[in-house]
Amino acid sequence: MGYENTPAVEAAVEHFKNLLCDQLERCDKMAADKDKVDFAKMPEIRIGICGGDGIGPIISKEAERLLHFMLEDDVAAGKIKFVDIDGLTIENRLACGKAIPDDVLALLKTCPVILKGPTTTPTGGTMESANVAMRRELDLYANVRPVCVPSEGIDWIFYRENTEGEYVLGSKGIEVPDKLAFDFKVTTDLGTKRIVRAAFEYAKNNGKTNVAIVTKANIMKKTDGKFSKIAHEIAAEYPGIEAEEWFIDIMTANLINTEKRSKFQVVVLPNLYGDIITDEAAQIQGGVGTAGSANIGDHYAMFEAIHGSAPRMIERGDGAYANPASMFKATEMLLRHIGYSDKADILAKAMNICLETEKKVVITGRKDGASCEEFGNYVMETVKSLEK
């Protein structure tokens, strides 16, 4: 039986044509955008606090309290303003039928800097992740995730491409019922250039000598092949920085190879691989609850935990005992991004004391451990002692 002129094939061809046109228009938009905000030089900084759902509002509240504490003088002077942004709960998003309701997106766009709690993504259906939608709408192309375990010689920073790959089109696939389903992956020249350059610029500016380029270019020859080719072209502009390419499967093994992993410094990779491998890296650090991340663009920056909304904690009544460490790590990255590196350094030291050396207050995620607020008080007391 021939399928060339069947309704399913014709619909799929039309669908793919529309996707292709959308992505070509996105390329044109990237090429036309020449502006870039210097976040550290903004006369007034509006920080949107977006709680999300599940444990998100609980740990976000503690992170906001920490920010108020650390930026008290500039808040009082009016340089720092906080904007509460509700509406990213799963219930509201489902009711609106949108990953980000229009009124919430409009408010987000008034805040160049955003601190965001975890959000729940429905399984199945067509509604995309709120994170994916926010990264696209605000063009947050660089997902930056540090992992540090000094006792193991681990000091990694991952630059994950954030607006392309499988995720940007992951809710726009094609299904022929009872036959097959297709999803799509996209890699653009400009999208690849900007994430790779961000990784190499970080390496150059922070004394790093090795950048690992992670792909599966031996199999995904068009998309990953393009990422690999462009990455090596850009690497040639940075003499003194070694660029090594690793396939994603062996790279996941390398991260648990104690003889090899300490050599890695900066890692740059496409979207899906970055999502998976940074969770593995966070687990080596102590679990996804210990890891924060930044989502950086030229006009906006969003900071968040890398873990999910933990609905089971809410269901069993343990939400107040959620660990805010990941949001505090994100808060450290936020402070550094807006020009408060000295305060970020103090917070980093305080977190190391609270989580690694002193550990006077321990969170277990249940009522047998400290509450989120108690841990927040501990961190702030530690910060205060370091500031003296």
Side-chain angles (χ1 to χ4, degrees), residues 81 317 321 342 367:
K81 294 188 177 180
Y321 299 88
D342 54 342
K367 297 178 180 67

Side-chain angles (χ1 to χ4, degrees), residues 206-218:
N206 290 274
K208 305 298 183 182
T209 57
N210 181 277
V211 175
I213 301 161
V214 179
T215 70
K216 193 64 176 172
N218 58 331

